Amino acid sequence: MADFKLDGRMKVKSLKENFKKCFGASLRVYKSETCKGAFADDDATLASIRAEGAKGGDLVVKGNMQVGNFEKKVAELYGIGVQVANADDSKLADNSITLVAAGK
């Protein structure tokens, strides 16, 4: 089962590419925790878009993690919003399925 590690030095573009490679699903990354408004710049690091007061740090993501738990964990750590979408990025994944299932 695929898994990967996020940290503050990772660029948004790398995060999206690694996520796609590991799980087959698409990842939408927003500037705000509420997932409203603009998408994050692909060249920005997670630390540079992290909300004030968010603790940051490392996060190991495994394929059996549920979509909703992953989205909540990223929001807690970095104060940014992410949404998991299907492989062709046409619709959002259900929060109760695993990350691997979202990519199928």
Side-chain angles (χ1 to χ4, degrees):
M1 186 166 300
D3 61 307
F4 76 101
K5 184 174 161 182
L6 279 89
D7 67 49
R9 295 180 309 272
M10 182 179 274
K11 290 190 178 208
V12 171
K13 182 178 184 178
S14 301
L15 169 61
K16 294 193 298 193
E17 287 171 354
N18 288 347
F19 191 86
K20 181 83 166 181
K21 188 168 61 176
C22 286
F23 307 122
S26 300
L27 188 66
R28 301 175 187 178
V29 183
Y30 298 85
K31 287 182 180 176
S32 73
E33 191 174 336
T34 59
C35 297
K36 295 196 176 7
F39 287 108
D41 182 8
D42 276 349
D43 289 327
T45 63
L46 296 181
S48 72
I49 60 173
R50 185 172 69 210
E52 196 172 314
K55 62 183 174 185
D58 295 349
L59 172 65
V60 175
V61 182
K62 298 189 178 297
N64 62 355
M65 183 181 267
Q66 288 186 331
V67 168
N69 291 342
F70 169 71
E71 292 173 354
K72 187 167 34 169
K73 204 74 172 145
V74 172
E76 284 172 12
L77 268 182
Y78 298 106
I80 58 173
V82 295
Q83 295 264 271
V84 177
N86 61 356
D88 65 0
D89 202 12
S90 61
K91 69 176 191 158
L92 295 177
D94 188 304
N95 282 346
S96 64
I97 64 173
T98 65
L99 295 174
V100 169
K104 292 185 178 174

Coordinates of all heavy atoms in Angstrom, one line a residue:
M1 N 0.8 -1.2 0.0 CA 0.0 0.0 0.0 C 0.9 1.2 0.0 O 1.9 1.3 0.7 CB -0.9 0.0 1.2 CG -1.9 1.1 1.2 SD -3.2 0.9 2.4 CE -4.0 -0.6 1.9
A2 N 0.5 2.2 -0.8 CA 1.3 3.4 -1.0 C 1.1 4.3 0.2 O 0.1 4.4 0.8 CB 0.9 4.1 -2.2
D3 N 2.2 5.0 0.6 CA 2.1 6.1 1.5 C 3.2 7.1 1.3 O 4.1 6.8 0.6 CB 2.1 5.6 3.0 CG 3.4 4.9 3.3 OD1 3.8 4.0 2.6 OD2 4.0 5.3 4.3
F4 N 2.9 8.3 1.7 CA 4.0 9.4 1.5 C 3.9 10.3 2.7 O 3.0 10.3 3.5 CB 3.8 10.1 0.2 CG 2.7 11.1 0.1 CD1 3.0 12.4 0.2 CD2 1.4 10.7 -0.1 CE1 1.9 13.3 0.1 CE2 0.4 11.6 -0.3 CZ 0.7 12.9 -0.2
K5 N 4.9 11.2 2.8 CA 5.1 12.1 3.9 C 5.0 13.5 3.4 O 5.6 13.9 2.4 CB 6.5 11.8 4.5 CG 6.8 12.6 5.7 CD 8.1 12.1 6.3 CE 8.7 13.1 7.2 NZ 10.0 12.6 7.7
L6 N 4.3 14.3 4.2 CA 4.1 15.7 3.9 C 5.0 16.5 4.9 O 5.0 16.1 6.1 CB 2.7 16.2 4.1 CG 1.6 16.0 3.1 CD1 1.0 14.7 3.3 CD2 0.7 17.2 3.3
D7 N 5.6 17.6 4.5 CA 6.3 18.5 5.4 C 6.2 19.9 4.9 O 5.8 20.1 3.7 CB 7.7 18.1 5.8 CG 8.6 18.2 4.6 OD1 8.7 19.2 3.9 OD2 9.4 17.2 4.3
G8 N 6.5 20.9 5.7 CA 6.3 22.3 5.4 C 7.2 22.7 4.2 O 6.9 23.7 3.5
R9 N 8.3 22.0 3.9 CA 9.2 22.4 2.8 C 8.6 22.0 1.4 O 9.1 22.4 0.4 CB 10.6 21.8 3.0 CG 11.3 22.4 4.2 CD 12.6 21.8 4.4 NE 12.7 20.3 4.4 CZ 12.5 19.5 5.4 NH1 12.3 20.0 6.6 NH2 12.5 18.2 5.3
M10 N 7.6 21.1 1.5 CA 7.1 20.6 0.2 C 6.3 21.6 -0.5 O 5.5 22.4 0.1 CB 6.2 19.4 0.5 CG 5.6 18.7 -0.7 SD 4.6 17.3 -0.2 CE 5.8 16.0 -0.1
K11 N 6.5 21.7 -1.8 CA 5.7 22.6 -2.7 C 4.3 22.0 -3.0 O 4.2 20.8 -3.0 CB 6.4 22.9 -4.0 CG 7.7 23.8 -3.7 CD 8.3 24.3 -5.0 CE 9.5 25.1 -4.7 NZ 9.7 26.1 -5.7
V12 N 3.4 22.9 -3.2 CA 2.0 22.5 -3.5 C 2.0 21.6 -4.7 O 1.3 20.5 -4.7 CB 1.1 23.7 -3.7 CG1 -0.2 23.3 -4.3 CG2 1.0 24.5 -2.5
K13 N 2.8 21.9 -5.7 CA 2.9 21.1 -7.0 C 3.4 19.7 -6.6 O 2.8 18.7 -7.1 CB 3.8 21.8 -8.0 CG 3.9 21.1 -9.3 CD 4.8 21.8 -10.2 CE 4.8 21.1 -11.6 NZ 5.6 21.9 -12.5
S14 N 4.4 19.6 -5.8 CA 4.9 18.3 -5.4 C 3.9 17.5 -4.6 O 3.8 16.3 -4.8 CB 6.2 18.4 -4.6 OG 7.2 19.1 -5.3
L15 N 3.2 18.2 -3.7 CA 2.2 17.5 -3.0 C 1.1 16.9 -3.9 O 0.8 15.7 -3.7 CB 1.5 18.5 -2.0 CG 0.3 18.0 -1.3 CD1 0.5 16.8 -0.4 CD2 -0.3 19.2 -0.4
K16 N 0.6 17.6 -4.8 CA -0.4 17.1 -5.7 C 0.1 16.0 -6.6 O -0.6 15.0 -6.8 CB -0.9 18.3 -6.6 CG -1.7 19.3 -5.8 CD -2.5 20.3 -6.6 CE -1.8 21.2 -7.5 NZ -2.5 22.3 -8.1
E17 N 1.4 16.1 -7.1 CA 1.9 15.1 -7.9 C 2.2 13.8 -7.1 O 1.8 12.7 -7.6 CB 3.3 15.5 -8.5 CG 3.1 16.6 -9.6 CD 4.4 17.2 -10.1 OE1 5.5 16.9 -9.5 OE2 4.4 17.9 -11.1
N18 N 2.7 13.9 -5.9 CA 2.9 12.7 -5.1 C 1.6 12.0 -4.7 O 1.5 10.8 -4.7 CB 3.7 13.1 -3.8 CG 5.1 13.4 -4.0 OD1 5.7 13.2 -5.1 ND2 5.8 14.0 -3.1
F19 N 0.6 12.8 -4.4 CA -0.7 12.3 -4.0 C -1.3 11.5 -5.2 O -1.7 10.4 -5.0 CB -1.6 13.5 -3.6 CG -2.9 13.0 -3.0 CD1 -2.9 12.8 -1.6 CD2 -4.0 12.8 -3.7 CE1 -4.1 12.4 -1.0 CE2 -5.2 12.4 -3.1 CZ -5.2 12.2 -1.8
K20 N -1.2 12.1 -6.4 CA -1.7 11.4 -7.6 C -1.0 10.1 -7.8 O -1.6 9.1 -8.1 CB -1.6 12.4 -8.8 CG -2.1 11.8 -10.1 CD -3.6 12.0 -10.1 CE -4.1 11.8 -11.6 NZ -5.5 12.0 -11.7
K21 N 0.4 10.1 -7.7 CA 1.2 9.0 -7.9 C 0.9 7.9 -6.9 O 0.8 6.7 -7.3 CB 2.7 9.4 -7.9 CG 3.6 8.3 -8.3 CD 5.0 8.8 -8.6 CE 5.6 9.4 -7.3 NZ 7.0 9.8 -7.4
C22 N 0.7 8.2 -5.7 CA 0.5 7.2 -4.6 C -0.9 6.6 -4.6 O -1.1 5.5 -4.4 CB 0.8 7.8 -3.2 SG 2.5 8.1 -2.9
F23 N -1.9 7.5 -4.8 CA -3.3 7.1 -4.6 C -4.1 7.1 -5.9 O -5.2 6.5 -5.9 CB -3.9 7.9 -3.5 CG -3.2 8.0 -2.3 CD1 -2.7 9.2 -1.7 CD2 -2.8 6.8 -1.6 CE1 -2.0 9.2 -0.6 CE2 -2.1 6.9 -0.4 CZ -1.7 8.1 0.1
G24 N -3.7 7.7 -6.9 CA -4.4 7.8 -8.2 C -5.5 8.8 -8.2 O -6.2 9.1 -9.2
A25 N -5.7 9.5 -7.0 CA -6.8 10.5 -6.9 C -6.1 11.9 -7.1 O -4.9 12.0 -7.0 CB -7.4 10.4 -5.6
S26 N -7.0 12.9 -7.4 CA -6.5 14.2 -7.5 C -6.6 15.0 -6.2 O -7.5 14.6 -5.4 CB -7.3 15.0 -8.6 OG -7.2 14.3 -9.9
L27 N -5.8 16.0 -6.0 CA -5.9 16.8 -4.8 C -6.0 18.2 -5.2 O -5.2 18.8 -6.0 CB -4.6 16.5 -4.0 CG -4.6 17.1 -2.6 CD1 -5.7 16.5 -1.7 CD2 -3.2 17.0 -1.9
R28 N -7.0 18.9 -4.6 CA -7.2 20.3 -4.7 C -6.7 21.0 -3.5 O -7.1 20.6 -2.4 CB -8.6 20.7 -5.0 CG -9.2 20.0 -6.2 CD -10.7 20.3 -6.3 NE -11.3 19.5 -7.4 CZ -12.6 19.5 -7.7 NH1 -13.4 20.3 -7.0 NH2 -13.0 18.8 -8.7
V29 N -5.8 22.0 -3.6 CA -5.2 22.7 -2.5 C -5.6 24.1 -2.5 O -5.4 24.8 -3.5 CB -3.6 22.6 -2.5 CG1 -3.0 23.2 -1.2 CG2 -3.2 21.1 -2.6
Y30 N -6.2 24.6 -1.4 CA -6.7 26.0 -1.3 C -5.8 26.8 -0.4 O -5.1 26.3 0.5 CB -8.1 26.0 -0.8 CG -9.1 25.2 -1.7 CD1 -9.3 23.8 -1.6 CD2 -9.8 25.9 -2.6 CE1 -10.1 23.1 -2.4 CE2 -10.7 25.2 -3.5 CZ -10.9 23.8 -3.3 OH -11.7 23.1 -4.1
K31 N -5.9 28.1 -0.5 CA -5.2 29.0 0.4 C -5.8 29.1 1.7 O -5.2 29.4 2.7 CB -5.2 30.4 -0.2 CG -4.3 30.6 -1.4 CD -4.3 32.0 -1.9 CE -3.4 32.2 -3.1 NZ -3.4 33.6 -3.6
S32 N -7.1 28.8 1.9 CA -7.8 28.9 3.2 C -8.3 27.5 3.6 O -8.5 26.6 2.8 CB -9.0 29.8 3.1 OG -10.0 29.2 2.3
E33 N -8.4 27.4 4.9 CA -8.9 26.1 5.5 C -10.3 25.8 5.1 O -10.6 24.6 5.1 CB -8.7 26.3 7.1 CG -8.9 25.0 7.8 CD -8.6 25.1 9.3 OE1 -7.9 26.1 9.7 OE2 -9.2 24.3 10.0
T34 N -11.1 26.8 4.8 CA -12.5 26.5 4.5 C -12.7 26.0 3.0 O -13.8 25.7 2.6 CB -13.3 27.8 4.6 OG1 -12.8 28.8 3.8 CG2 -13.3 28.3 6.1
C35 N -11.6 26.0 2.3 CA -11.7 25.5 0.9 C -12.5 26.5 0.0 O -13.1 26.1 -1.0 CB -12.2 24.1 0.7 SG -11.1 22.9 1.5
K36 N -12.6 27.7 0.4 CA -13.4 28.7 -0.3 C -12.3 29.7 -0.9 O -11.3 29.9 -0.3 CB -14.4 29.5 0.5 CG -15.5 28.6 1.1 CD -16.6 29.4 1.6 CE -17.8 28.7 2.0 NZ -17.8 27.3 2.1
G37 N -12.6 30.2 -2.0 CA -11.7 31.2 -2.6 C -10.7 30.6 -3.5 O -10.9 29.5 -4.1
A38 N -9.5 31.1 -3.5 CA -8.5 30.8 -4.5 C -7.7 29.5 -4.2 O -7.6 29.1 -3.0 CB -7.5 31.9 -4.6
F39 N -7.3 28.8 -5.3 CA -6.4 27.7 -5.1 C -5.0 28.2 -4.7 O -4.6 29.3 -5.0 CB -6.3 26.9 -6.4 CG -7.5 26.1 -6.8 CD1 -8.3 26.5 -7.8 CD2 -7.8 25.0 -6.0 CE1 -9.4 25.8 -8.1 CE2 -8.9 24.2 -6.4 CZ -9.7 24.6 -7.4
A40 N -4.2 27.4 -4.0 CA -2.9 27.7 -3.6 C -2.0 27.7 -4.9 O -2.2 26.9 -5.8 CB -2.4 26.8 -2.6
D41 N -1.0 28.6 -4.9 CA 0.0 28.7 -6.0 C 0.8 27.4 -6.0 O 1.3 26.9 -4.9 CB 0.9 29.9 -5.7 CG 1.9 30.1 -6.8 OD1 1.8 29.4 -7.9 OD2 2.7 31.0 -6.7
D42 N 1.0 26.8 -7.1 CA 1.8 25.5 -7.2 C 3.2 25.7 -6.7 O 3.8 24.7 -6.3 CB 1.8 25.0 -8.7 CG 0.5 24.2 -9.0 OD1 -0.2 23.8 -8.1 OD2 0.4 23.9 -10.2
D43 N 3.8 26.8 -6.8 CA 5.2 27.0 -6.5 C 5.4 27.4 -5.0 O 6.5 27.5 -4.5 CB 5.8 28.1 -7.3 CG 6.1 27.6 -8.7 OD1 6.3 26.4 -8.9 OD2 6.0 28.5 -9.7
A44 N 4.3 27.6 -4.3 CA 4.3 27.9 -2.8 C 4.6 26.6 -2.0 O 4.2 25.6 -2.4 CB 3.0 28.5 -2.4
T45 N 5.4 26.8 -0.9 CA 5.6 25.7 0.0 C 4.4 25.7 1.0 O 3.7 26.6 1.2 CB 6.9 25.9 0.8 OG1 6.8 27.0 1.6 CG2 8.1 26.0 -0.1
L46 N 4.2 24.5 1.6 CA 3.1 24.4 2.6 C 3.3 25.3 3.7 O 2.4 25.9 4.2 CB 3.0 22.9 3.0 CG 2.6 21.9 2.0 CD1 2.5 20.5 2.6 CD2 1.3 22.3 1.3
A47 N 4.6 25.5 4.1 CA 4.9 26.4 5.2 C 4.5 27.9 4.9 O 4.1 28.6 5.7 CB 6.4 26.3 5.6
S48 N 4.8 28.3 3.6 CA 4.5 29.6 3.2 C 3.0 30.0 3.2 O 2.6 31.1 3.3 CB 5.2 30.0 1.9 OG 4.5 29.3 0.8
I49 N 2.2 29.0 3.0 CA 0.7 29.3 2.9 C 0.0 28.8 4.2 O -1.2 29.0 4.3 CB 0.0 28.6 1.7 CG1 0.2 27.1 1.7 CG2 0.6 29.2 0.4 CD1 -0.6 26.3 0.7
R50 N 0.8 28.3 5.1 CA 0.2 27.8 6.4 C -0.4 29.0 7.1 O 0.1 30.1 7.2 CB 1.3 27.3 7.3 CG 0.9 26.6 8.5 CD 2.0 25.9 9.2 NE 3.0 26.8 9.7 CZ 4.2 26.6 9.9 NH1 4.7 25.4 9.5 NH2 5.0 27.5 10.4
A51 N -1.6 28.7 7.7 CA -2.3 29.7 8.5 C -1.6 30.1 9.7 O -0.9 29.3 10.3 CB -3.7 29.2 8.8
E52 N -1.7 31.4 10.2 CA -1.1 31.8 11.4 C -1.7 31.0 12.5 O -2.9 30.8 12.7 CB -1.4 33.3 11.6 CG -0.5 33.9 12.6 CD -0.8 35.4 12.7 OE1 -0.8 36.1 11.6 OE2 -0.9 36.0 13.8
G53 N -0.8 30.5 13.4 CA -1.2 29.7 14.5 C -1.2 28.2 14.2 O -1.3 27.4 15.2
A54 N -1.1 27.8 13.0 CA -1.1 26.4 12.6 C 0.3 25.8 13.0 O 1.3 26.5 12.7 CB -1.4 26.1 11.2
K55 N 0.4 24.6 13.5 CA 1.6 24.2 14.1 C 2.6 23.6 13.0 O 3.8 23.6 13.2 CB 1.4 23.1 15.1 CG 0.7 21.9 14.7 CD 0.4 21.0 15.9 CE -0.4 19.8 15.4 NZ -0.8 18.9 16.5
G56 N 2.1 23.1 11.9 CA 3.0 22.6 10.8 C 3.5 21.2 11.3 O 2.9 20.6 12.1
G57 N 4.6 20.8 10.7 CA 5.2 19.5 11.0 C 5.0 18.5 9.9 O 4.7 18.9 8.8
D58 N 5.3 17.3 10.2 CA 5.3 16.2 9.3 C 4.0 15.4 9.4 O 3.5 15.2 10.5 CB 6.5 15.2 9.4 CG 7.8 15.9 9.1 OD1 7.8 17.0 8.6 OD2 8.9 15.3 9.5
L59 N 3.6 14.8 8.3 CA 2.4 14.0 8.3 C 2.6 12.8 7.4 O 3.0 13.0 6.2 CB 1.1 14.7 7.9 CG -0.1 14.0 7.6 CD1 -0.6 13.3 8.9 CD2 -1.2 14.9 7.1
V60 N 2.5 11.6 7.9 CA 2.7 10.4 7.0 C 1.3 10.0 6.6 O 0.4 9.8 7.5 CB 3.4 9.2 7.7 CG1 3.4 8.0 6.9 CG2 4.8 9.7 8.1
V61 N 1.0 9.9 5.3 CA -0.3 9.6 4.8 C -0.3 8.2 4.2 O 0.5 7.9 3.4 CB -0.7 10.6 3.7 CG1 -2.1 10.3 3.2 CG2 -0.6 12.0 4.2
K62 N -1.2 7.4 4.7 CA -1.3 6.0 4.2 C -2.6 5.8 3.4 O -3.5 6.6 3.6 CB -1.3 5.0 5.4 CG 0.0 5.0 6.2 CD 0.0 3.9 7.2 CE 1.3 3.9 8.0 NZ 2.5 3.6 7.2
G63 N -2.6 4.9 2.4 CA -3.7 4.7 1.5 C -5.0 4.3 2.2 O -6.1 4.5 1.6
N64 N -4.9 3.7 3.4 CA -6.1 3.2 4.0 C -6.8 4.3 4.9 O -7.8 4.1 5.6 CB -5.9 2.0 4.9 CG -4.9 2.2 6.0 OD1 -4.3 3.3 6.1 ND2 -4.7 1.2 6.8
M65 N -6.2 5.5 4.9 CA -6.7 6.7 5.6 C -8.0 7.1 4.9 O -8.0 7.2 3.7 CB -5.7 7.8 5.7 CG -6.2 9.0 6.5 SD -5.0 10.4 6.5 CE -4.1 10.0 8.0
Q66 N -9.0 7.5 5.7 CA -10.3 8.0 5.0 C -10.0 9.4 4.5 O -9.3 10.2 5.1 CB -11.4 8.0 6.0 CG -11.9 6.6 6.3 CD -13.2 6.6 7.2 OE1 -13.4 7.5 8.0 NE2 -14.0 5.6 7.0
V67 N -10.7 9.7 3.4 CA -10.6 11.0 2.8 C -10.9 12.1 3.8 O -10.1 13.1 3.9 CB -11.6 11.1 1.6 CG1 -11.7 12.5 1.1 CG2 -11.1 10.2 0.5
G68 N -12.0 12.0 4.6 CA -12.4 13.1 5.5 C -11.3 13.3 6.6 O -11.0 14.4 7.0
N69 N -10.7 12.2 7.1 CA -9.6 12.3 8.1 C -8.4 12.9 7.5 O -7.8 13.7 8.2 CB -9.3 10.9 8.6 CG -10.4 10.3 9.5 OD1 -11.3 11.0 9.9 ND2 -10.4 9.0 9.6
F70 N -8.0 12.6 6.3 CA -6.9 13.2 5.6 C -7.1 14.8 5.5 O -6.2 15.6 5.9 CB -6.6 12.6 4.3 CG -5.6 13.4 3.4 CD1 -4.3 13.4 3.8 CD2 -6.0 14.1 2.3 CE1 -3.4 14.1 3.0 CE2 -5.1 14.8 1.6 CZ -3.8 14.8 1.9
E71 N -8.3 15.1 5.0 CA -8.6 16.6 4.8 C -8.5 17.3 6.2 O -8.0 18.4 6.3 CB -9.9 16.7 4.2 CG -9.9 16.2 2.7 CD -11.3 16.2 2.1 OE1 -12.3 16.5 2.7 OE2 -11.4 16.0 0.8
K72 N -9.1 16.7 7.2 CA -9.1 17.3 8.6 C -7.7 17.4 9.1 O -7.3 18.4 9.7 CB -10.0 16.5 9.5 CG -10.2 17.1 10.8 CD -11.3 16.5 11.7 CE -11.5 15.0 11.5 NZ -12.4 14.4 12.5
K73 N -6.9 16.4 8.9 CA -5.5 16.4 9.5 C -4.7 17.5 8.8 O -3.9 18.2 9.5 CB -4.9 15.0 9.2 CG -3.8 14.7 10.1 CD -4.3 14.3 11.5 CE -3.2 13.8 12.4 NZ -3.4 14.2 13.8
V74 N -4.8 17.7 7.5 CA -4.0 18.7 6.8 C -4.5 20.1 7.3 O -3.7 21.0 7.5 CB -4.2 18.6 5.3 CG1 -3.6 19.8 4.6 CG2 -3.5 17.3 4.8
A75 N -5.8 20.2 7.5 CA -6.3 21.5 8.0 C -5.8 21.8 9.4 O -5.4 22.9 9.7 CB -7.9 21.5 8.0
E76 N -5.7 20.8 10.3 CA -5.2 21.0 11.6 C -3.7 21.3 11.6 O -3.3 22.2 12.4 CB -5.4 19.6 12.4 CG -6.8 19.3 12.9 CD -6.9 17.9 13.5 OE1 -5.8 17.3 13.8 OE2 -8.0 17.5 13.7
L77 N -2.9 20.6 10.8 CA -1.5 20.8 10.8 C -1.1 22.1 10.2 O -0.2 22.9 10.7 CB -0.8 19.7 10.1 CG -0.3 18.5 10.9 CD1 0.4 17.5 10.1 CD2 0.6 18.9 12.1
Y78 N -1.7 22.4 9.0 CA -1.2 23.5 8.2 C -2.2 24.7 8.1 O -1.8 25.7 7.6 CB -0.8 23.0 6.8 CG 0.3 22.0 6.8 CD1 0.0 20.7 6.6 CD2 1.6 22.4 7.0 CE1 1.0 19.7 6.6 CE2 2.6 21.4 7.1 CZ 2.3 20.1 6.8 OH 3.3 19.2 6.9
G79 N -3.4 24.5 8.5 CA -4.4 25.5 8.4 C -4.8 25.9 6.9 O -5.1 27.0 6.6
I80 N -4.6 24.9 6.1 CA -5.0 25.0 4.6 C -6.0 24.0 4.3 O -6.1 22.9 4.9 CB -3.8 24.9 3.7 CG1 -3.1 23.6 3.8 CG2 -2.8 26.1 3.9 CD1 -2.0 23.3 2.8
G81 N -6.8 24.3 3.3 CA -7.9 23.4 2.9 C -7.4 22.5 1.7 O -6.8 23.0 0.8
V82 N -7.7 21.2 1.8 CA -7.5 20.3 0.7 C -8.8 19.6 0.5 O -9.6 19.3 1.4 CB -6.3 19.4 0.9 CG1 -5.0 20.1 1.0 CG2 -6.5 18.5 2.1
Q83 N -9.0 19.2 -0.8 CA -10.2 18.4 -1.1 C -9.6 17.3 -2.0 O -8.9 17.5 -3.0 CB -11.2 19.2 -1.9 CG -11.8 20.3 -1.1 CD -13.2 19.8 -0.5 OE1 -14.2 20.0 -1.1 NE2 -13.1 19.3 0.7
V84 N -10.0 16.0 -1.7 CA -9.7 14.9 -2.6 C -10.7 14.7 -3.6 O -11.9 14.8 -3.3 CB -9.5 13.6 -1.7 CG1 -9.2 12.4 -2.6 CG2 -8.5 13.8 -0.6
A85 N -10.3 14.6 -4.9 CA -11.2 14.4 -6.0 C -10.9 13.1 -6.7 O -9.8 12.5 -6.5 CB -11.1 15.6 -7.0
N86 N -11.8 12.7 -7.6 CA -11.5 11.4 -8.3 C -10.3 11.6 -9.3 O -9.7 12.7 -9.4 CB -12.8 11.0 -9.1 CG -13.3 12.0 -10.1 OD1 -12.7 13.1 -10.2 ND2 -14.3 11.6 -10.8
A87 N -9.9 10.5 -9.9 CA -8.7 10.5 -10.8 C -8.7 11.6 -11.8 O -7.6 12.2 -12.0 CB -8.5 9.2 -11.4
D88 N -9.8 11.9 -12.5 CA -9.8 12.9 -13.5 C -10.2 14.3 -13.0 O -10.4 15.2 -13.8 CB -10.6 12.5 -14.7 CG -12.1 12.4 -14.4 OD1 -12.5 12.6 -13.2 OD2 -12.9 12.0 -15.3
D89 N -10.3 14.4 -11.7 CA -10.6 15.7 -11.0 C -12.0 16.3 -11.4 O -12.1 17.5 -11.4 CB -9.5 16.7 -11.3 CG -9.4 17.8 -10.2 OD1 -10.1 17.7 -9.2 OD2 -8.7 18.8 -10.4
S90 N -12.9 15.5 -11.7 CA -14.2 16.0 -12.1 C -15.2 16.0 -11.0 O -16.2 16.8 -11.1 CB -14.8 15.1 -13.3 OG -15.0 13.8 -12.8
K91 N -15.0 15.3 -9.9 CA -15.9 15.4 -8.7 C -15.2 15.0 -7.5 O -14.2 14.3 -7.5 CB -17.2 14.5 -8.9 CG -16.9 13.0 -8.9 CD -18.2 12.3 -9.0 CE -17.9 10.8 -8.7 NZ -19.1 10.1 -8.2
L92 N -15.6 15.6 -6.4 CA -15.0 15.3 -5.1 C -15.3 13.9 -4.6 O -16.4 13.4 -4.8 CB -15.5 16.4 -4.0 CG -15.1 17.8 -4.3 CD1 -15.7 18.7 -3.3 CD2 -13.6 18.0 -4.4
A93 N -14.3 13.4 -3.9 CA -14.5 12.0 -3.3 C -15.3 12.1 -2.0 O -15.3 13.1 -1.3 CB -13.1 11.4 -3.0
D94 N -16.0 11.0 -1.7 CA -16.8 10.9 -0.5 C -15.9 10.8 0.7 O -14.8 10.1 0.6 CB -17.7 9.6 -0.6 CG -18.6 9.5 0.5 OD1 -18.2 9.5 1.7 OD2 -19.8 9.3 0.2
N95 N -16.2 11.5 1.8 CA -15.3 11.6 2.9 C -15.1 10.2 3.6 O -14.2 10.1 4.4 CB -15.8 12.6 3.9 CG -15.4 14.0 3.5 OD1 -14.6 14.2 2.6 ND2 -16.1 15.0 4.1
S96 N -16.0 9.3 3.4 CA -16.0 8.0 4.2 C -15.2 6.9 3.5 O -15.0 5.9 4.0 CB -17.4 7.5 4.5 OG -18.1 7.3 3.2
I97 N -14.7 7.2 2.3 CA -13.9 6.1 1.6 C -12.4 6.4 1.8 O -12.0 7.4 2.3 CB -14.2 6.1 0.0 CG1 -13.8 7.4 -0.6 CG2 -15.7 5.8 -0.2 CD1 -13.9 7.4 -2.2
T98 N -11.6 5.4 1.5 CA -10.2 5.5 1.7 C -9.6 6.3 0.5 O -10.2 6.4 -0.5 CB -9.5 4.1 1.8 OG1 -9.6 3.5 0.5 CG2 -10.1 3.3 2.9
L99 N -8.3 6.8 0.8 CA -7.6 7.5 -0.3 C -7.4 6.7 -1.5 O -7.5 7.1 -2.6 CB -6.3 8.1 0.3 CG -6.5 9.1 1.4 CD1 -5.1 9.4 2.0 CD2 -7.2 10.3 0.9
V100 N -7.1 5.4 -1.3 CA -6.9 4.5 -2.4 C -8.2 4.3 -3.2 O -8.2 4.4 -4.5 CB -6.3 3.1 -2.0 CG1 -6.3 2.1 -3.1 CG2 -4.9 3.3 -1.4
A101 N -9.3 4.1 -2.5 CA -10.6 4.0 -3.2 C -10.9 5.2 -4.0 O -11.6 5.1 -5.0 CB -11.6 3.6 -2.2
A102 N -10.5 6.4 -3.5 CA -10.9 7.6 -4.2 C -10.2 7.7 -5.6 O -10.7 8.4 -6.5 CB -10.4 8.8 -3.4
G103 N -9.1 7.0 -5.7 CA -8.4 7.1 -7.0 C -8.8 6.1 -8.0 O -8.3 6.0 -9.1
K104 N -9.8 5.2 -7.6 CA -10.2 4.2 -8.5 C -11.4 4.6 -9.3 O -12.2 5.4 -8.9 CB -10.5 2.9 -7.7 CG -9.2 2.3 -7.2 CD -9.5 1.0 -6.5 CE -8.2 0.5 -6.0 NZ -8.3 -0.7 -5.2

